[in-house]
Structure formats: structure tokens, C-alpha cells
Amino acid sequence: MNDGGPVVPTVGLGSRRSSPGATVGAAARGAPPAVLPSLALEPAPRGVRVTP
């Protein structure tokens, strides 16, 4: 893998809305925003940018 480049995560509206029977799906869609701060720091030395 080359150094540098952007990572642009996308999250659907389902991570912010709740509905009956969708607990597991909502948790999976809500995970990316929760890990973005760490994800932004780990590849930073290699010039990879993570935009929230």
C-alpha cells in the first residue's frame, strides 16, 4: 500500500434513527463514527487522512 491519501467514511441515516427489530443493524451502522477518532490517528504517520 502506498503512503498518503484520504479515507472518507459514509454512514446512512439508519445509524441515527431507531426502529423496532433493527438493533443489530443500528449498532453496526453506528460503529464507524465511534472509531473514527482512533482511525484518524493510526495511519496519520503515513500521510493518510481520515475526514469525519
Side-chain angles (χ1 to χ4, degrees):
M1 174 166 58
N2 295 330
D3 289 348
V7 175
V8 182
T10 59
V11 178
L13 290 176
S15 66
R16 299 189 183 228
R17 290 186 177 165
S18 58
S19 61
T23 304
V24 173
R29 287 187 301 275
V35 298
L36 280 177
S38 294
L39 183 62
L41 294 174
E42 291 178 7
R46 295 187 63 185
V48 177
R49 300 178 316 277
V50 178
T51 57

